[in-house]
Amino acid sequence: MIFPKGEVVHKNLSTSFTDLSALISTLRLENFSGTIEIDFPDTRGILLIDSGQIVDAEATGDNGSERILGEEAIQYLLRLASQKDGILSIYRLLPEQVILLANNLRCEPLFKALSTNFIHFDQLLTKLKEGKHNGFIEVMTKDHQPIGVLFLEGGEPVEMFTLPKNGPAVFGRMSIQIFIENVKKHGALFNVYGRENKGLSQEPVVVEKKEVLLHQDHESPQVKEEGESVPINLQEEKNLSGNETLKETLSLLEEFLSESERIVDTLTRKGMFLKNFKKALIEKSEQFGFLDPFAGEFDYRDGTIQLREEVESKDLVKGIVEALRVTLSHLEKELPQEKMLPLKLKAGIETFLAHHKGVLTRLKIEPFFASFL
């Protein structure tokens, strides 16, 4: 993958004088999100960091023929960085941009070095749309200089970044159409990468938008300006449209997710749950539009859910449970040696159901949680 270079934090640090482990500890305290690029004469690698935690990594040989990913790559790069003759560079990105990269890191090449001299770019996009393609397209000039990367979900362009000659990479889905038109106009080479199509429903959930938000004390309404989002944060005791059912549901979901996170991270390592859960949110966002991390409507972090649009409680629970199901699937593939993980996770959910049976039944959401078992 062509990786974006974000805002420069440190550049060209020598491994002879830099302790990478200590540097990562500092970045963790700063809640840093971005990348650490590691360059040695015969090896190149990158660590993807979300909110201070290493969520994925890639290491390749000098000619790109050898490639390792995930935990193996993380440990390899940490060992390698303790040697001399290497260079470290650190670039800041947004957390959702890091997760986008991690979610596509395992895509496999489908077509290499296609040229607009022989293939119409818009026709290729149409074909990928018909096939509900998940993956990305690397775009390069005709002399193989990288221009940018276009990401696809269900065949639809969802995000992109371009690589200017100077300065950090530029992300922005609003520029996708202009990017496509420029490729068609000036010509380019491109590589197409894909991952397994999960066969998700292509019908997004329509999220109803409310224009009036009531204060919790019900004294006076707060009129929301057009385009403005007011987050729900239970710790701040904000109540979206006076919806007590949604408030109760959010509280249950926070406990549900935080307990799942505790179980997974205890059996694996800290950050493993959140990494895979965020990947799952992207995959399920086609079916549950409010889960799209790039739309900014839903976020889970540190045991707290923030929701910026009103969603039916049943849809919210169903979406979260489905995302957790995909999360477990990812974990089982990434950590096949952890045979107890699915058993302990399901046991934790059974305990949760038993403890909250009365409330879950009253809110009519118990079947959605139970469907995970």
Side-chain angles (χ1 to χ4, degrees):
M1 178 190 290
I2 297 172
F3 290 100
K5 296 183 186 295
E7 175 192 351
V8 176
V9 178
H10 298 289
K11 193 172 183 180
N12 297 333
L13 300 176
S14 172
T15 56
S16 299
F17 307 104
T18 305
D19 185 336
L20 180 58
S21 297
L23 182 58
I24 291 173
S25 296
T26 300
L27 295 176
R28 184 178 297 115
L29 293 174
E30 296 174 353
N31 212 33
F32 170 83
S33 292
T35 61
I36 300 179
E37 294 187 359
I38 302 170
D39 287 295
F40 277 80
D42 298 322
T43 305
R44 302 191 67 184
I46 188 166
L47 298 172
L48 304 180
I49 301 178
D50 175 28
S51 304
Q53 301 295 329
I54 301 175
V55 295
D56 218 331
E58 177 189 83
T60 60
D62 189 41
N63 58 6
S65 58
E66 298 179 5
R67 181 172 182 252
I68 57 175
L69 301 169
E71 186 66 29
E72 183 182 0
I74 293 172
Q75 297 304 321
Y76 174 76
L77 291 173
L78 291 176
R79 290 194 302 270
L80 185 65
S82 64
Q83 302 177 18
K84 298 179 180 180
D85 302 323
I87 296 295
L88 305 176
S89 295
I90 304 171
Y91 301 95
R92 190 184 308 278
L93 294 170
L94 295 176
E96 56 267 29
Q97 293 167 352
V98 174
I99 294 303
L100 176 69
L101 298 176
N103 194 45
N104 286 276
L105 195 58
R106 286 162 179 77
C107 288
E108 297 294 333
L110 303 179
F111 305 100
K112 300 280 284 186
L114 298 178
S115 172
T116 51
N117 289 339
F118 306 103
I119 296 176
H120 292 290
F121 191 54
D122 52 353
Q123 292 179 359
L124 172 66
L125 292 176
T126 299
K127 186 67 176 177
L128 294 175
K129 182 176 181 179
E130 291 173 353
K132 296 180 172 55
H133 180 77
N134 294 320
F136 60 91
I137 304 173
E138 294 178 337
V139 182
M140 299 155 289
T141 64
K142 292 185 177 181
D143 57 355
H144 296 273
Q145 295 301 310
I147 298 174
V149 176
L150 178 65
F151 295 91
L152 305 173
E153 289 291 336
E156 297 288 349
V158 294
E159 184 58 284
M160 60 157 289
F161 67 81
T162 55
L163 303 171
K165 292 182 179 179
N166 298 299
V170 179
F171 283 79
R173 64 173 69 187
M174 299 300 293
S175 302
I176 288 176
Q177 193 55 46
I178 297 175
F179 179 73
I180 292 173
E181 292 300 324
N182 284 336
V183 170
K184 290 162 56 179
K185 181 179 179 180
H186 299 291
L189 300 175
F190 36 89
N191 302 323
V192 181
Y193 291 77
R195 65 178 185 273
E196 180 184 357
N197 193 326
K198 301 297 181 180
L200 300 179
S201 167
Q202 300 304 307
E203 293 297 327
V205 174
V206 178
V207 180
E208 182 183 1
K209 296 184 178 180
K210 298 294 183 180
E211 293 304 317
V212 178
L213 303 177
L214 299 180
H215 288 297
Q216 192 169 1
D217 56 12
H218 305 292
E219 289 181 357
S220 60
Q222 175 189 359
V223 180
K224 184 179 74 171
E225 299 294 334
E226 183 177 359
E228 180 185 356
S229 294
V230 178
I232 298 176
N233 187 322
L234 294 181
Q235 294 178 345
E236 298 173 359
E237 297 184 339
K238 290 184 178 179
N239 182 9
L240 184 60
S241 299
N243 193 333
E244 291 298 328
T245 298
L246 181 58
K247 184 177 179 180
E248 282 189 275
T249 302
L250 282 168
S251 181
L252 289 166
L253 284 170
E254 286 183 332
E255 181 180 337
F256 177 71
L257 288 176
S258 61
E259 178 61 14
S260 299
E261 182 176 18
R262 184 193 66 79
I263 292 171
V264 171
D265 287 2
T266 298
L267 289 174
T268 58
R269 61 181 175 83
K270 185 173 175 59
M272 184 62 72
F273 174 84
L274 194 58
K275 162 194 164 183
N276 286 279
F277 183 64
K278 286 187 174 181
K279 288 182 182 180
L281 291 179
I282 294 175
E283 293 182 27
K284 300 304 293 186
S285 64
E286 295 179 35
Q287 186 175 356
F288 302 96
F290 56 87
L291 293 181
D292 184 355
F294 303 107
E297 296 174 7
F298 173 90
D299 185 49
Y300 169 77
R301 193 179 301 274
D302 298 326
T304 301
I305 291 175
Q306 286 195 340
L307 188 67
R308 289 180 171 82
E309 294 291 346
E310 186 170 6
V311 181
E312 288 292 331
S313 295
K314 292 180 181 179
D315 290 335
L316 182 61
V317 173
K318 187 176 180 180
I320 296 301
V321 171
E322 287 299 310
L324 186 61
R325 196 189 312 278
V326 174
T327 301
L328 179 58
S329 176
H330 285 316
L331 289 166
E332 288 178 315
K333 290 179 181 178
E334 186 171 350
L335 303 166
Q337 72 278 12
E338 295 292 347
K339 303 296 184 183
M340 293 300 295
L341 180 57
L343 297 177
K344 289 197 173 184
L345 190 55
K346 290 179 180 179
I349 293 173
E350 288 177 345
T351 301
F352 170 84
L353 290 173
H355 184 69
H356 296 290
K357 183 175 179 60
V359 178
L360 295 172
T361 301
R362 174 169 56 81
L363 296 177
K364 299 180 180 180
I365 55 177
E366 182 184 15
F368 300 111
F369 285 102
S371 68
F372 186 88
L373 302 176

